[in-house]
Amino acid sequence: MRNLKLHQTLEFRDIQAPGKPQCFCLRAEQGTVLIGSERGLTEADPVRREVKTEISLVAEGFLPEDGSGCIVGIQDLLDQESACVATASGDVIVCNLSTQQLECVGSVASGISVMSWSPDQELLLLATAQQTLIMMTKDFEVITEEQIHQDDFGEGKFVTVGWGSKETQFHGSGGRPTTFPVQLHESALPWDDHRPQITWRGDGQFFAVSVVCPQTGARKIRVWNREFALQSTSESVPGLGPCLAWKPSGSLIASTQDKPNQQDVVFFEKNGLLHGNFTLPFLKDEVKVNDLLWNADSSVLAVWLEDLPKEDSSTLKSYVQLWTVGNYHWYLKQSLPFSTTGKNQIVSLLWDPVTPCRLHVLCQGWRYLCYEWHWTTDRSSGSSANDLANVAVIDGNRVLVTVFRQTVIPPPMYTYRLLIPHPVNQVMFSAHLGNDLAVLDSSNQISVYKCGDKPNMDSTVKLGAVGGNGFKVPLTIPHLEKRYSIQFGNKEENEEVNALQLSFLTWIEDDAFLAVSHSHTGPQSTLHHLTAARSEVDEEQGQLDVSSSVTVDGVVIGLCCCSKTKSSAVQLADGQVLKYLWESPSLAAEPWKNAEGFPVRFAHPCTQMEVATIGGEECVLGLTDRCRFFINDTEVASNITSFAVCDDFLLVTTHSHTCQGFSLSGASLKMLQASLSGNQQVSGEILRKVERGSRIVTVVPQDTKLILQMPRGNLEVVHHRALVLAQVRKWLDKLMFKEAFECMRKLRINLNLIHDHNPKVFLENVETFIKQIDSANHINLFLTELREEDVTKTMYPPPVTKSVQMSTHPDGKKIDLICDALRAAMETVNPRKFCLSILTSHVKKTTPELEIVLQKVHELQGNVLLNPETVSAEEALKYLLLLVDVNELFNHSLGTYDFDLVLMVAEKSQKDPKEYLPFLNALKKMETNYQRFTIDKYLKRYEKAIGHLSKCGPEYFTECLNLIKDKNLYKEALKLYRPDSQQYQAVSVAYGEHLMKERLYEPAGLVFARCGAQEKALEAFLACGSWQQALCVAAQLQMTKDKVAGLARTLAGKLVEQRKHSEAATVLEQYAQDYEEAVLLLLEGSAWEEALRLVYKYDRVDIIETSIKPSILEAQKNYMDFLDSQTATFIRHKNRLQVVRELRNQAPQIHVDNEVAHGPETDLFSETSSEMSGRYSHSNSRISARSSKNRRKAERKKYSLKEGSPLEGLALLEALSEVVQSIEKLKDEVHAILKVLFLFEFEEQGKELQRAFESTLQLMQRALPEIWTLAGQQSSATTALGPRSTVNSITASLKQQKTGVPVLDTGVCMPPKIDQRSQWKLNLLE
């Protein structure tokens, strides 16, 4: 659904050269045109508008001086800086354009009709006047010569046995005479010049020749291969014309055919059979076709036609028409009228070999024209919901319009079409009224169509695929408002108007247009402001006058308007972008500047331009024909095939077959660049996969539809997630819940978004939501999709962070809150209509309220259905069974103790009556409390069950106690009985025994003590070592002194096992009266001062000499040995760690292959192990380490200190940390022993210990920064990548990251802390 839009026009008038032009060719690399005349060759530069070279062929005798000579062909030879020229007299000349030397490389005595070079310029084909074909090499050596007329069909002759042909089919007696008709051969067309025509396939492997058969006088097409072997001959086609053009892609050969009532362009296959056609928009014998030309990419077929002389001797014209095909329909996209006399008469046409849509035209009066088109989609640009998303397609004198808001009709069908008197060249929609459109035709008239209320349908407007008998079309059909002719005041009378004088015609206001014209004298363009003036001749015919003009230095190649800012972006050929304000009094085009204030300049010319606001800044968007996408002067991406801007959204399609949508309101240039370049991970809301080759046709404003067109021409409507969510959010902000719900339900958007978009607003407008939805089924669907998660944070994050703080549910009861709010609203609006929805709101809660639901269903059973909206109990129960499992529902109904409700549910389920009726009958015979106990026990509601059973009497207590023990319901059971009852005591004893089995001795002792079981309590307190509680219970039992002393010694033994020497000494002293043993325990626990207190308390000074002093000296010696051992260990581990790190730095990649093979633990090999050792035998124990039994063991063996082990460095760090921490813990003990050493005059030993401990601390403090360095902690990250990394090492690092094995544990990576403020030293010893 694309049209050809004129991009640029280049004109070179009055080329100063002798003679009259006859033919021309292009020199693409030099950008010049080589023109042949009856006098010689002229090379002209159209851009600089100068003649570069003139070569006379008359002076050398190749052309006669009387001007009767003719050049039949010119070809630029790319590799020789020369041109090959063939004359009708038979000479083949090579002209060196640099030295202007001429060389005759061959001559044909009979003369030459056609010269044709192969596309690769390896072969030259000449058609002679003697009806022969000569094939030559590029060095002009003759390969072979063949007769142009052949009797044989060719190598591709068909082989058939006749089955299925017309001759073998039954036609009946009436049709039999027509089975073998007489073959009629029509002669060539009257205006046929009988000259051969040659065309090559794009790859140069085949060529086709059209000649007039001497036997029949009709034209035939023969196909030859590169080796000059005849391949096929065309079937006999009456009225076949002389034109011939082989599609460069190789599929079809185009020619023309005169039929009884029309003239067609027909297509032949390589085998000579017809394959399709289209009809030219002219009557029989009205025009003749002079030439057919395919462009370089086979997308456009140019047809050069000329009026045949008429009896009324009216002015004759010639036409150049551009045809394209889509969905097997041929469209006439452009029509260029020329005169057949004077300077404007066409001599020859050529497509540019490099730029596909650039056409070169040479006219009789030495006038050169160059037109360049580009593909564009003409769509309405409105942004409101009133815009119908119109797309217009040009097809000759018809404009096919499709209204995509209401109908999606694939081309070549349409919603309606506009019939214009002349072929259409451009369509434009109003910039401020998107549904109105204007049409510029080939006669430079503008037809304006406006949408409005008009009683009678316009005769020039006809409905297409939407029309039909009995159908009412809900469309606003436009009507012809007026036709305007364009009047230029400074036009000279004798000046012939360019066929495409105006380009980029833009409808900016009601009666004002903007257009661009190019100067024919230099690289300048003019912006014309055209305004409507009432015509004096006919009121239906208006006139557009040039109200103002602005001249721009440079060739304008792009123009787009923005109706909001009343400005236009103008692109020049050098990439510069200008801003033109059409309402500004200055009437000047100023440079477009970016946010930094610098002029915007595209690095490459852009064929599509749009103006959009990105992050509050007005920017120019451009797309080149090579898929390079620019925003201002920044190239954002290089793989964009199409783009569109609509509703503050930018949508693009890419070469990777994706469609991406970006919100421009909160976007930035860097964000767009990162997303489009693939450097940033894009979300599913932004990106969508599309079919290969898809292009954007249009986006429906204020809607979710995105129209894409496939390469073959068919359409596809997609609802891009970004558009859908943006539109849903707009509807929700406007409280249009029904529209949002219908869209979300149809496009499978999670319905939680209705609430999560703005929870506060939704909960405040729940009643509005109910009234708008007005459907119990839809509300049920909404309720069943509810989930606790916030979809605005998980599935559909907003493109811009919301400024308003939305209410959240910190307790995680979102579903309960919504269900309660909806139920309250439904009960207010219409409880009968929304009965099922009310039930759903109970079931959907976090804890389903099935009992309430069943009770409501039970209440419905007795209601009379007077209102049609009322739901019966059967319907409600049937619906409920869809939401809840039938067994669960049966159990809940049983839990209500209502047997009528149970029977109602059971009857609606698939349960067998033989299963539940005996069970229910047995329950009915039981006493009420025991019945409910049985039901609760059946439903495994044991807490309720013991509650009912406790009410049945003492005879059932044994059964109750067994259930309590079986289900561990001790705490619940204790609440059911009085503390002074026997049942309470029995339950408490059972509870205490249960705690004893669980090794919870202290809680068990408390339970026993509370219920009065003192002996059991004493046993429990003894087991846990709670000596205070045990002695209290012993006092309550009134035990004798001997038993208390024995109990105290038992408790002291347990306390010593727990290393509680001070408490054990207290028990022995106070309850066993054994102060000597207490002193020994205090000395064992290093409680020196407490031991001295007891010694002096009981006046046993002799113990100081016998026990205390020896113990102090022995402890001092032990401390010294321990410090020496720890210091040696610390130094040894520190030195080894230094060696490991040096080895790592010297050879970080040795044995990397072994690292990968050993598993994720070995990824740390380069960080902390000795690679040079190689003696370590690794065993992978990851699987066993995962078991719960061996987890602690594996944790202990996590790091091995064995030299060369994979984690030796980590083990060393861990060991060093343990040494430091053990020394730090000794500070209080050392301080205590230093005091008693000084007290008993052991100063030397005290000083020795203090010096040794201080030395050890200083050693460790100095070594901490060296051991726990930043480089050592981060070594795993630095060795993964770097100049010394290999593929194996990087793979190992990545594998480690995937498996989640930590590089350094937190405790290992952080250095241990040494408290500098603790006062452990004794100043008296200094």
Side-chain angles (χ1 to χ4, degrees):
M1 302 189 72
R2 295 188 296 171
N3 298 322
L4 285 174
K5 187 174 184 179
L6 187 61
H7 189 65
Q8 187 176 355
T9 303
L10 180 62
E11 186 176 359
F12 187 9
R13 296 187 179 183
D14 301 328
I15 302 174
Q16 300 300 319
K20 294 181 179 180
Q22 296 175 341
C23 57
F24 76 115
C25 74
L26 304 175
R27 303 192 69 197
E29 292 184 357
Q30 289 76 16
T32 59
V33 181
L34 198 60
I35 305 173
S37 67
E38 75 273 15
R39 310 298 298 179
L41 299 179
T42 301
E43 183 181 9
D45 187 344
V47 177
R48 298 182 179 180
R49 290 174 173 79
E50 63 180 11
V51 176
K52 294 184 64 176
T53 309
E54 288 188 14
I55 301 176
S56 175
L57 298 180
V58 177
E60 299 292 335
F62 295 115
L63 292 175
E65 296 183 359
D66 58 0
S68 60
C70 179
I71 295 178
V72 297
I74 305 175
Q75 179 66 45
D76 177 40
L77 303 179
L78 299 176
D79 56 346
Q80 300 181 20
E81 285 291 329
S82 303
C84 180
V85 180
T87 64
S89 59
D91 293 328
V92 179
I93 308 159
V94 174
C95 306
N96 191 308
L97 299 175
S98 300
T99 62
Q100 300 187 8
Q101 294 181 353
L102 302 177
E103 179 185 1
C104 182
V105 295
S107 182
V108 179
S110 60
I112 298 175
S113 302
V114 180
M115 178 186 75
S116 179
W117 283 80
S118 64
D120 56 4
Q121 293 193 357
E122 293 292 330
L123 297 176
L124 170 62
L125 199 62
L126 300 176
T128 68
Q130 291 184 343
Q131 303 297 304
T132 61
L133 290 175
I134 301 175
M135 181 177 285
M136 307 173 70
T137 66
K138 65 178 181 179
D139 299 324
F140 304 102
E141 296 178 358
V142 177
I143 299 175
T144 184
E145 182 176 1
E146 293 285 347
Q147 289 294 323
I148 203 168
H149 302 290
Q150 299 284 333
D151 297 331
D152 188 17
F153 179 85
E155 294 179 356
K157 185 176 182 180
F158 304 109
V159 178
T160 178
V161 295
W163 296 108
S165 62
K166 287 185 178 181
E167 292 81 0
T168 61
Q169 295 176 2
F170 177 72
H171 296 272
S173 59
R176 185 65 181 173
T178 63
T179 304
F180 302 98
V182 179
Q183 187 69 31
L184 299 176
H185 297 282
E186 296 186 6
S187 60
L189 298 175
W191 43 268
D192 195 337
D193 57 2
H194 289 69
R195 291 178 57 193
Q197 298 290 332
I198 301 175
T199 181
W200 288 82
R201 201 171 75 173
D203 58 1
Q205 298 300 313
F206 297 93
F207 64 90
V209 182
S210 174
V211 292
V212 177
C213 181
Q215 289 82 12
T216 61
R219 283 215 172 242
K220 279 192 176 182
I221 300 174
R222 291 183 174 89
V223 178
W224 309 69
N225 66 6
R226 193 180 181 90
E227 285 72 29
F228 220 148
L230 182 63
Q231 297 298 298
S232 61
T233 303
S234 68
E235 58 181 305
S236 180
V237 179
L240 187 64
C243 301
L244 199 65
W246 200 320
K247 198 173 183 178
S249 61
S251 55
L252 298 173
I253 305 170
S255 186
T256 60
Q257 180 187 9
D258 264 20
K259 292 185 177 179
N261 297 315
Q262 63 191 33
Q263 189 167 4
D264 290 355
V265 174
V266 295
F267 301 101
F268 291 88
E269 297 180 4
K270 186 171 71 72
N271 57 14
L273 297 180
L274 284 170
H275 184 93
N277 66 286
F278 66 87
T279 302
L280 296 173
F282 295 97
L283 301 176
K284 170 72 172 174
D285 297 330
E286 185 178 357
V287 295
K288 66 175 181 177
V289 180
N290 288 337
D291 203 357
L292 298 173
L293 299 98
W294 290 100
N295 70 334
D297 62 358
S298 305
S299 61
V300 183
L301 176 63
V303 183
W304 173 18
L305 308 103
E306 186 177 330
D307 286 338
L308 292 174
K310 301 177 183 178
E311 295 180 357
D312 56 1
S313 66
S314 59
T315 304
L316 302 181
K317 290 186 177 181
S318 62
Y319 313 91
V320 177
Q321 296 183 343
L322 306 185
W323 293 80
T324 64
V325 65
N327 258 17
Y328 302 100
H329 176 79
W330 283 88
Y331 297 88
L332 174 57
K333 294 296 184 183
Q334 294 283 300
S335 181
L336 285 67
F338 292 86
S339 65
T340 56
T341 58
K343 295 182 178 181
N344 212 28
Q345 180 182 356
I346 298 178
V347 173
S348 182
L349 301 175
L350 280 178
W351 283 108
D352 194 275
V354 178
T355 306
C357 291
R358 181 179 293 172
L359 182 66
H360 304 269
V361 182
L362 181 64
C363 296
Q364 188 65 46
W366 287 99
R367 184 182 182 191
Y368 165 83
L369 294 169
C370 177
Y371 301 104
E372 185 175 344
W373 292 271
H374 283 286
W375 293 105
T376 184
T377 302
D378 292 316
R379 50 179 173 248
S380 56
S381 57
S383 58
S384 65
N386 296 325
D387 185 87
L388 299 177
N390 302 292
V391 176
V393 179
I394 297 174
D395 186 14
N397 63 343
R398 304 185 308 163
V399 177
L400 314 180
V401 182
T402 303
V403 180
F404 282 106
R405 180 174 291 277
Q406 296 171 318
T407 56
V408 179
I409 303 173
M413 295 185 289
Y414 48 86
T415 305
Y416 59 87
R417 62 108 174 102
L418 311 177
L419 188 62
I420 310 300
H422 302 280
V424 178
N425 283 338
Q426 189 178 344
V427 178
M428 70 229 70
F429 287 91
S430 174
H432 63 290
L433 298 173
N435 299 322
D436 298 345
L437 72 158
V439 179
L440 174 65
D441 57 32
S442 59
S443 65
N444 280 331
Q445 280 191 338
I446 297 178
S447 302
V448 175
Y449 286 82
K450 291 187 177 181
C451 293
D453 297 331
K454 194 172 184 180
N456 298 325
M457 191 167 178
D458 196 332
S459 59
T460 63
V461 181
K462 182 179 180 181
L463 292 175
V466 298
N469 296 328
F471 290 93
K472 183 179 180 181
V473 183
L475 289 174
T476 305
I477 305 299
H479 60 274
L480 179 62
E481 182 77 12
K482 185 174 286 191
R483 285 196 173 94
Y484 295 96
S485 60
I486 302 174
Q487 181 66 35
F488 285 91
N490 298 329
K491 185 175 74 70
E492 299 179 7
E493 295 182 0
N494 58 351
E495 182 183 348
E496 298 182 31
V497 179
N498 185 354
L500 298 176
Q501 188 173 9
L502 294 179
S503 60
F504 301 110
L505 190 65
T506 307
W507 191 358
I508 56 176
E509 290 178 338
D510 285 338
D511 56 351
F513 294 85
L514 202 63
V516 176
S517 66
H518 299 96
S519 172
H520 60 83
T521 59
Q524 286 186 338
S525 302
T526 304
L527 298 175
H528 300 286
H529 201 158
L530 307 177
T531 55
R534 184 60 63 97
S535 175
E536 300 178 357
V537 180
D538 188 4
E539 292 187 357
E540 294 182 359
Q541 184 74 25
Q543 182 173 311
L544 290 177
D545 296 331
V546 179
S547 61
S548 61
S549 297
V550 176
T551 303
V552 178
D553 291 333
V555 179
V556 175
I557 61 171
L559 176 67
C560 65
C561 293
C562 180
S563 59
K564 295 181 181 179
T565 58
K566 306 289 186 181
S567 62
S568 299
V570 181
Q571 181 190 180
L572 303 182
D574 59 356
Q576 185 179 358
V577 180
L578 307 178
K579 177 182 285 189
Y580 173 69
L581 301 174
W582 63 72
E583 289 189 349
S584 174
S586 61
L587 294 178
E590 300 176 351
W592 190 292
K593 295 183 180 180
N594 56 19
E596 289 77 17
F598 297 104
V600 173
R601 182 186 296 270
F602 291 144
H604 301 274
C606 294
T607 58
Q608 182 183 352
M609 288 176 58
E610 294 281 353
V611 177
T613 302
I614 301 178
E617 177 192 355
E618 192 176 21
C619 301
V620 182
L621 283 62
L623 179 65
T624 70
D625 54 356
R626 297 300 179 92
C627 304
R628 307 181 76 165
F629 185 56
F630 292 88
I631 298 180
N632 285 343
D633 47 4
T634 303
E635 183 176 352
V636 177
S638 59
N639 64 336
I640 306 301
T641 56
S642 64
F643 79 94
V645 178
C646 182
D647 294 343
D648 293 331
F649 269 90
L650 170 64
L651 292 113
V652 300
T653 56
T654 66
H655 278 311
S656 55
H657 325 307
T658 61
C659 179
Q660 299 184 34
F662 302 95
S663 174
L664 299 179
S665 57
S668 64
L669 190 60
K670 291 183 178 179
M671 185 273 288
L672 293 175
Q673 190 171 10
S675 300
L676 290 171
S677 62
N679 297 330
Q680 179 178 329
Q681 186 70 23
V682 294
S683 63
E685 179 179 341
I686 293 176
L687 185 139
R688 176 197 174 103
K689 291 285 186 180
V690 294
E691 188 176 335
R692 180 188 298 269
S694 301
R695 292 177 181 271
I696 297 175
V697 176
T698 189
V699 186
V700 180
Q702 303 297 326
D703 204 336
T704 63
K705 287 191 289 189
L706 169 65
I707 316 299
L708 301 174
Q709 187 169 27
M710 307 303 111
R712 58 185 176 274
N714 62 310
L715 299 180
E716 181 177 345
V717 181
V718 299
H719 298 268
H720 197 285
R721 186 56 56 91
L723 296 176
V724 173
L725 293 178
Q727 189 60 42
V728 166
R729 292 182 182 113
K730 291 179 182 178
W731 280 328
L732 293 177
D733 290 337
K734 297 177 182 178
L735 302 182
M736 300 170 65
F737 295 112
K738 182 176 180 60
E739 290 80 0
F741 181 87
E742 291 294 339
C743 177
M744 296 169 71
R745 185 172 68 94
K746 181 173 65 174
L747 301 178
R748 302 181 67 83
I749 303 295
N750 194 292
L751 296 177
N752 282 269
L753 184 62
I754 296 178
H755 167 269
D756 296 342
H757 175 67
N758 196 331
K760 182 180 178 182
V761 172
F762 175 79
L763 294 175
E764 290 175 354
N765 297 274
V766 168
E767 191 169 336
T768 305
F769 173 76
I770 297 296
K771 291 179 180 179
Q772 288 188 14
I773 300 300
D774 198 31
S775 170
N777 291 334
H778 288 172
I779 295 175
N780 292 339
L781 179 63
F782 172 72
L783 287 170
T784 52
E785 278 203 20
L786 289 177
R787 59 177 70 171
E788 286 294 345
E789 71 171 292
D790 187 352
V791 296
T792 61
K793 297 178 180 178
T794 56
M795 301 175 65
Y796 313 119
V800 184
T801 305
K802 298 179 182 178
S803 57
V804 181
Q805 183 65 30
M806 300 303 173
S807 63
T808 57
H809 315 296
D811 54 351
K813 301 298 182 183
K814 161 189 160 184
I815 295 179
D816 295 349
L817 192 62
I818 297 175
C819 289
D820 294 340
L822 284 175
R823 182 171 59 254
M826 289 185 288
E827 290 174 348
T828 303
V829 175
N830 193 338
R832 293 181 178 179
K833 179 178 180 179
F834 299 111
C835 176
L836 297 181
S837 300
I838 293 173
L839 298 180
T840 308
S841 66
H842 284 291
V843 174
K844 185 60 183 175
K845 294 189 72 172
T846 308
T847 303
E849 299 172 344
L850 295 181
E851 290 82 359
I852 300 176
V853 171
L854 290 169
Q855 195 62 39
K856 290 190 175 183
V857 173
H858 189 49
E859 293 173 359
L860 291 174
Q861 199 169 16
N863 294 345
V864 181
L865 301 179
L866 300 177
N867 193 329
E869 294 181 348
T870 305
V871 179
S872 65
E874 289 75 13
E875 292 178 8
L877 190 58
K878 187 177 180 181
Y879 170 73
L880 203 58
L881 290 174
L882 297 175
L883 300 178
V884 187
D885 180 67
V886 62
N887 295 318
E888 185 180 356
L889 196 61
F890 178 81
N891 292 338
H892 276 84
S893 63
L894 191 62
T896 61
Y897 315 116
D898 188 341
F899 290 98
D900 294 337
L901 188 61
V902 174
L903 286 173
M904 184 180 68
V905 174
E907 289 173 357
K908 293 297 180 182
S909 68
Q910 301 295 325
K911 284 182 173 291
D912 188 356
K914 293 181 181 180
E915 296 179 3
Y916 63 83
L917 284 179
F919 176 63
L920 295 179
N921 292 332
L923 289 174
K924 290 181 180 179
K925 296 177 182 179
M926 297 178 183
E927 188 265 336
T928 303
N929 287 323
Y930 195 79
Q931 178 193 80
R932 294 186 176 184
F933 157 72
T934 307
I935 292 174
D936 289 331
K937 186 178 178 181
Y938 172 78
L939 297 177
K940 298 181 179 180
R941 300 189 300 190
Y942 300 110
E943 187 175 346
K944 284 187 175 182
I946 61 173
H948 291 300
L949 190 58
S950 66
K951 300 175 183 178
C952 293
E955 61 271 18
Y956 291 99
F957 178 71
T958 303
E959 184 179 357
C960 181
L961 185 60
N962 292 332
L963 182 62
I964 292 169
K965 291 180 179 180
D966 188 30
K967 303 302 177 183
N968 295 331
L969 299 173
Y970 301 102
K971 294 181 180 178
E972 293 79 7
L974 290 174
K975 299 175 184 178
L976 301 174
Y977 300 101
R978 297 192 311 274
D980 57 348
S981 64
Q982 294 180 357
Q983 292 88 347
Y984 185 89
Q985 186 174 8
V987 172
S988 297
V989 172
Y991 188 23
E993 292 175 350
H994 168 72
L995 292 175
M996 290 289 286
K997 291 179 182 178
E998 297 293 328
R999 298 181 180 274
L1000 300 173
Y1001 300 114
E1002 188 172 9
L1006 294 174
V1007 171
F1008 286 135
R1010 180 176 176 179
C1011 71
Q1014 305 297 344
E1015 293 181 356
K1016 292 181 178 292
L1018 180 60
E1019 182 183 355
F1021 289 135
L1022 274 175
C1024 69
S1026 179
W1027 61 275
Q1028 293 94 338
Q1029 292 287 356
L1031 292 171
C1032 291
V1033 172
Q1036 294 176 15
L1037 290 174
Q1038 298 179 355
M1039 296 176 65
T1040 63
K1041 289 185 176 181
D1042 294 338
K1043 290 184 178 181
V1044 171
L1047 177 64
R1049 293 186 182 278
T1050 303
L1051 289 171
K1054 289 186 174 292
L1055 291 172
V1056 169
E1057 291 177 359
Q1058 300 174 6
R1059 301 189 65 80
K1060 298 180 179 179
H1061 296 84
S1062 297
E1063 296 179 11
T1066 302
V1067 171
L1068 287 176
E1069 180 205 357
Q1070 296 181 4
Y1071 292 93
Q1073 283 78 38
D1074 189 354
Y1075 63 88
E1076 292 184 1
E1077 186 66 24
V1079 169
L1080 294 178
L1081 289 180
L1082 290 172
L1083 293 177
E1084 183 181 349
S1086 300
W1088 317 107
E1089 295 179 346
E1090 181 66 16
L1092 286 173
R1093 186 186 69 81
L1094 291 182
V1095 166
Y1096 286 108
K1097 176 182 177 181
Y1098 293 100
D1099 195 18
R1100 289 293 306 274
V1101 183
D1102 57 305
I1103 297 178
I1104 296 176
E1105 296 295 334
T1106 59
S1107 299
I1108 293 180
K1109 287 184 178 181
S1111 297
I1112 292 173
L1113 292 175
E1114 184 180 0
Q1116 188 267 350
K1117 183 180 178 183
N1118 292 337
Y1119 281 130
M1120 291 298 297
D1121 294 341
F1122 180 76
L1123 288 176
D1124 293 341
S1125 173
Q1126 292 297 88
T1127 303
T1129 302
F1130 185 84
I1131 294 173
R1132 185 174 68 255
H1133 289 342
K1134 173 177 171 293
N1135 295 336
R1136 179 59 189 170
L1137 181 62
Q1138 185 176 0
V1139 172
V1140 168
R1141 289 179 174 174
E1142 289 177 356
L1143 290 174
R1144 177 203 66 197
N1145 295 330
Q1146 292 174 5
Q1149 302 303 327
I1150 298 179
H1151 303 315
V1152 174
D1153 294 336
N1154 295 332
E1155 296 176 27
V1156 180
H1158 288 161
E1161 292 93 341
T1162 56
D1163 295 341
L1164 302 168
F1165 191 68
S1166 63
E1167 136 66 20
T1168 57
S1169 64
S1170 171
E1171 298 87 336
M1172 306 301 293
S1173 173
R1175 296 173 296 175
Y1176 178 72
S1177 170
H1178 182 89
S1179 63
N1180 194 335
S1181 60
R1182 284 178 297 159
I1183 297 176
S1184 62
R1186 291 195 185 107
S1187 65
S1188 60
K1189 181 179 180 180
N1190 297 326
R1191 188 173 295 120
R1192 293 183 180 178
K1193 183 179 178 181
E1195 188 66 26
R1196 290 195 301 268
K1197 297 175 63 177
K1198 188 174 183 181
Y1199 306 133
S1200 173
L1201 285 172
K1202 189 174 182 179
E1203 290 188 8
S1205 63
L1207 301 179
E1208 183 187 359
L1210 292 182
L1212 290 170
L1213 286 175
E1214 188 178 41
L1216 288 167
S1217 178
E1218 291 176 356
V1219 170
V1220 174
Q1221 292 173 6
S1222 66
I1223 297 298
E1224 178 69 16
K1225 292 177 182 177
L1226 285 180
K1227 286 184 176 180
D1228 293 337
E1229 296 181 21
V1230 170
H1231 182 67
I1233 196 173
L1234 287 176
K1235 288 192 293 183
V1236 294
L1237 283 171
F1238 179 82
L1239 181 65
F1240 291 110
E1241 299 180 356
F1242 298 127
E1243 293 188 13
E1244 294 300 326
Q1245 290 86 344
K1247 290 180 180 180
E1248 182 184 9
L1249 177 59
Q1250 183 164 300
R1251 285 195 298 268
F1253 193 72
E1254 184 177 15
S1255 175
T1256 303
L1257 283 178
Q1258 291 177 354
L1259 171 66
M1260 294 179 180
Q1261 288 175 357
R1262 290 194 302 269
L1264 284 183
E1266 181 182 351
I1267 296 172
W1268 281 274
T1269 60
L1270 184 63
Q1273 296 172 35
Q1274 297 179 349
S1275 58
S1276 63
T1278 58
T1279 56
L1281 299 173
R1284 297 185 180 180
S1285 300
T1286 64
V1287 174
N1288 289 332
S1289 67
I1290 296 173
T1291 305
S1293 177
L1294 293 176
K1295 185 178 178 182
Q1296 165 201 315
Q1297 295 173 12
K1298 290 180 181 178
T1299 54
V1301 177
V1303 178
L1304 292 175
D1305 288 349
T1306 306
V1308 178
C1309 115
M1310 296 299 295
K1313 294 182 179 180
I1314 297 179
D1315 190 2
Q1316 304 285 349
R1317 295 174 297 178
S1318 63
Q1319 299 295 328
W1320 63 272
K1321 295 176 66 175
L1322 188 63
N1323 296 328
L1324 297 173
L1325 292 174
E1326 291 183 351

